[in-house]
Amino acid sequence: MTLKQRLQSSRPLLAPGIYDALSALVAQQAGFEALYLSGASIAYTRLGRSDVGLTTASEVAQTLSLITERVSCPVIVDADTGFGNALNTQRTVREFERAGAAMIQIEDQTFPKRCGHLDGKAVIPVAHMQGKLRAALDARRSGDTLILARTDALAVEGLDSALERAERYLECGVDALFVEALRAPQQMDAACARFAQRLPLLANMVEGGKTPVQSVQELGDRGFRIVIFPGGTARAVAHTLQAYYTSLQARGSTAPWQDRMLDFDGLNRLIGTPELMADGKRYES
């Protein structure tokens, strides 16, 4: 089933954050129907840096291609600002589509952008964003490659302006909308009241961020059709690594952690090493 087909259902879609092929594989094995690759998670894991526009389009495309080669789940990918103007956005869409993106998210921040839950954002004029979105829609080769428009205007211009921007972006023909960093249930309901019956609306759950964290069921009841927890994976992994490395440094051994980690065979089973070796034997002379 394509992502486009899945979004025809009224049942909300929960897409966990991933950042590489291993995290994508584990998420798929857990039963998720779609995955979300954020620019922030790539910055955190590949660069060890903050989400402030340091990640490049080629780094995202390379990461995405490694993921889609390994898993069959549809991947929603964060294309930040399109990495430039409308022409840059077209190149980004073509490159991400070739890399296997099922949905490409483009936002209306200025460049360099920053995490939607950090202060100090700025947004481009509405007409400039509309140009980027039209360029993105023209660039895709398949109608199954969806374009998601995100606005970060709430923190800069207020809720009414953010909703009006979303309206203008909808007019361009995008497939889904994302009003970033809604700050209260009342704001979430206002966005859903205006758009939820017209196209899929995405809710972004960031632990410690601006938006109240709710379950996929609660958000689905409000009217959201796509729910992402984009950075939770990187935060959980970082927390685990802090504890693991602290223990290893203090104890000089992984023995205290062996009931909380996969052993050699366990990891190989997870990544499919026995099946890979069996495939290799088929090609031996």
Side-chain angles (χ1 to χ4, degrees):
M1 180 185 296
T2 66
L3 182 61
K4 185 175 185 178
Q5 291 169 332
R6 171 61 181 81
L7 289 175
Q8 299 304 309
S9 169
S10 60
R11 180 168 54 90
L13 175 67
L14 175 59
I18 57 171
Y19 56 81
D20 64 4
L22 179 61
S23 58
L25 179 62
V26 175
Q28 178 173 272
Q29 291 175 351
F32 289 99
E33 299 175 89
L35 310 172
Y36 183 88
L37 177 63
S38 75
S41 289
I42 294 174
Y44 300 154
T45 58
R46 286 192 63 162
L47 309 181
R49 295 288 187 182
S50 307
D51 180 20
V52 291
L54 299 175
T55 307
T56 65
S58 58
E59 287 170 337
V60 178
Q62 181 187 50
T63 303
L64 174 63
S65 67
L66 292 171
I67 290 167
T68 57
E69 191 276 331
R70 188 65 185 91
V71 301
S72 58
C73 278
V75 179
I76 304 167
V77 60
D78 179 5
D80 286 348
T81 63
F83 299 95
N85 62 17
L87 296 179
N88 298 115
T89 299
Q90 286 200 315
R91 186 178 181 205
T92 296
V93 167
R94 293 186 185 116
E95 190 170 6
F96 286 13
E97 187 176 39
R98 284 196 301 271
M103 176 180 277
I104 301 169
Q105 172 188 309
I106 302 166
E107 67 195 49
D108 59 4
Q109 281 197 57
T110 56
F111 188 85
K113 57 90 58 171
R114 61 181 59 195
C115 172
H117 292 254
L118 288 175
D119 295 329
K121 297 184 294 182
V123 291
I124 62 176
V126 172
H128 292 184
M129 181 61 174
Q130 288 179 307
K132 285 189 184 187
L133 293 174
R134 289 193 296 268
L137 291 162
D138 288 345
R140 62 184 178 178
R141 295 183 181 276
S142 170
D144 286 333
T145 304
L146 307 181
I147 301 299
L148 166 64
R150 163 176 150 177
T151 179
D152 284 69
L154 189 150
V156 183
E157 301 172 347
L159 178 63
D160 289 344
S161 178
L163 297 182
E164 187 58 31
R165 277 177 173 262
E167 188 73 50
R168 301 285 77 78
Y169 303 162
L170 185 155
E171 291 172 358
C172 295
V174 299
D175 302 289
L177 289 173
F178 174 6
V179 181
E180 174 64 299
L182 294 162
R183 296 177 180 233
Q186 294 81 1
Q187 292 185 344
M188 301 167 82
D189 290 340
C192 288
R194 185 157 180 175
F195 298 111
Q197 298 303 313
R198 300 159 70 189
L199 80 174
L201 196 61
L202 182 146
N204 181 20
M205 297 290 98
V206 177
E207 301 81 5
K210 307 288 188 185
T211 305
V213 174
Q214 300 176 12
S215 72
V216 65
Q217 185 59 57
E218 291 172 310
L219 292 163
D221 290 344
R222 289 190 183 280
F224 291 100
R225 298 254 294 283
I226 307 170
V227 178
I228 61 172
F229 285 76
T233 304
R235 279 186 280 278
V237 168
H239 179 72
T240 300
L241 288 176
Q242 283 182 323
Y244 168 79
Y245 286 131
T246 298
S247 174
L248 180 57
Q249 171 66 13
R251 305 294 184 87
S253 169
T254 59
W257 267 73
Q258 287 183 11
D259 63 344
R260 287 176 280 172
M261 60 193 295
L262 297 175
D263 64 10
F264 181 79
D265 290 337
L267 180 59
N268 279 301
R269 282 193 298 272
L270 185 151
I271 61 177
T273 300
E275 294 83 357
L276 189 68
M277 301 304 288
D279 281 346
K281 286 186 177 296
R282 292 171 45 226
Y283 299 105
E284 292 178 359
S285 59

